[in-house]
Amino acid sequence: MMRIPFELAETLAVVVDGGTLDAAAQRLHITPSAVSQRIKTLEELLGRVVLVRSKPVRPTEAGSAVIRLARQAALLEHDTLAELGADPDGGARTAVPLAVNADSLATWFLPPLTRLSQRHPVVFELHRDDQDFTAGLLESGTVMGAVTSRATAVAGCRVSTLGAMRYEAVATPSFAEEWLSGDLAGRLREAPVVDFDRRDDLQNEWLTAQGVDPALPPRHYVPASNDFATAVRLGLGWALLPRFQSHEALSNGELVLLGGAPVDVPLYWQQWNLRSPLLDAIADEIVGEGRRVLSPRA
């Protein structure tokens, strides 16, 4: 029966995390040629290429499966040593990679991580991506858990409902008066829109509901959640903001609602389907916080 030596799997994960063989060599305290030999040995053992030697390096599909194995084995080793009363990390903190969408990261996601870091010797490596794409980071083995819009469990993972992030169309009063007074649908064709990036479909979805072709309005792109909200509050354009970011500005009159139905984005927590006390504790905090602060699903 073929067995994958943990040392080889771990080396591949370190190489991908570091981006280069040299960076991996420094972390593993071996030479770059030794790192290269381990990767070659792994590929010969599997009969498959596991690493694309680009800059930075990236795993192949087979390599992603091996990396997922390495991370899961490291997590189980940590839990086992902790259960036996040993210090699993020699005084160091366990690194836990997680994926989250920008708006969750900017609003509700950090408090549960803070509570976890106070009770467990962990550090978090956060990967930010659109909620429609974070599940891919689970599939590749890059992260252990992810906030995602994907309701169907990724292979080897389990899924829990968090709730819905509710977005409403807002603008400053002066922007609304200048650009959106009168025939709203007609004016929306010309009023500048703020998008997060070119994958941001929220404004397009709301425009379509108003009977406006999303291809018509001019666009600003502001790819950072807090800066995105600031751009709207400064009057750069209109956009959909979650109530977490708009409620204070709406209350003091800095922003006004443009009307139309809000857009609800359902969110889920997916994580590896392992019996891990640490991973279970992370899930309990994140799922509990999400269900407390997000809108319940209809």
Side-chain angles (χ1 to χ4, degrees):
M1 181 180 66
M2 181 188 296
R3 304 293 293 271
I4 300 176
F6 178 71
E7 180 183 68
L8 301 184
E10 180 186 40
T11 298
L12 178 61
V14 173
V15 169
V16 171
D17 286 344
T20 66
L21 298 183
D22 288 343
Q26 291 181 1
R27 179 172 168 184
L28 294 171
H29 305 293
I30 58 178
T31 65
S33 61
V35 173
S36 181
Q37 183 58 48
R38 288 185 185 181
I39 300 300
K40 181 180 178 181
T41 301
L42 178 61
E43 291 179 329
E44 290 175 347
L45 176 67
L46 298 176
R48 300 185 184 188
V49 174
V50 297
L51 190 69
V52 178
R53 289 162 172 77
S54 53
K55 293 185 178 181
V57 298
R58 56 185 175 85
T60 63
E61 184 176 350
S64 293
V66 174
I67 290 171
R68 187 163 57 248
L69 169 66
R71 298 197 199 285
Q72 291 177 348
L75 177 64
L76 293 175
E77 181 182 54
H78 171 277
D79 288 337
T80 300
L81 289 172
E83 186 176 346
L84 293 174
D87 183 351
D89 302 300
R93 287 178 171 256
T94 301
V96 178
L98 304 174
V100 60
N101 61 306
D103 286 340
S104 291
L105 179 59
T107 54
W108 66 271
F109 194 70
L110 290 177
L113 299 193
T114 302
R115 294 193 294 269
L116 284 161
S117 70
Q118 292 168 348
R119 298 198 305 271
H120 301 275
V122 296
V123 289
F124 295 102
E125 299 176 3
L126 299 184
H127 297 252
R128 188 190 67 190
D129 205 342
D130 185 271
Q131 62 270 2
D132 293 337
F133 300 95
T134 49
L137 296 173
L138 272 175
E139 293 174 319
S140 69
T142 302
V143 300
M144 298 179 183
V147 176
T148 174
S149 60
R150 183 166 164 179
T152 304
V154 171
C157 296
R158 64 178 186 264
V159 59
S160 301
T161 300
L162 292 171
M165 184 81 84
R166 173 160 289 183
Y167 294 81
E168 296 168 305
V170 297
T172 63
S174 59
F175 182 92
E177 182 178 358
E178 178 182 357
W179 288 98
L180 301 172
S181 59
D183 176 18
L184 179 62
R187 301 301 303 277
L188 283 169
R189 295 179 175 87
E190 301 176 355
V193 184
V194 182
D195 278 340
F196 187 85
D197 57 25
R198 286 170 174 79
R199 298 187 299 183
D200 181 4
D201 289 331
L202 283 176
Q203 283 69 232
N204 290 348
E205 184 176 340
W206 188 84
L207 282 167
T208 300
Q210 311 312 309
V212 177
D213 181 353
L216 296 176
R219 306 273 175 162
H220 300 288
Y221 294 98
V222 184
S225 185
N226 284 321
D227 295 336
F228 179 94
T230 299
V232 177
R233 288 197 298 270
L234 291 175
L236 189 63
W238 70 269
L240 278 82
L241 293 181
R243 266 297 171 116
F244 291 108
Q245 291 180 313
S246 65
H247 73 278
E248 183 175 346
L250 288 168
S251 297
N252 63 27
E254 188 180 356
L255 292 175
V256 294
L257 293 169
L258 302 184
V263 175
D264 286 345
V265 176
L267 296 176
Y268 303 88
W269 175 250
Q270 294 212 33
Q271 68 180 46
W272 293 343
N273 191 20
L274 296 177
R275 294 177 61 86
S276 163
L278 177 58
L279 205 51
D280 288 345
I282 292 170
D284 288 344
E285 280 290 347
I286 291 174
V287 173
E289 182 77 5
R291 291 179 177 177
R292 185 179 69 82
V293 303
L294 295 172
S295 300
R297 294 293 312 280

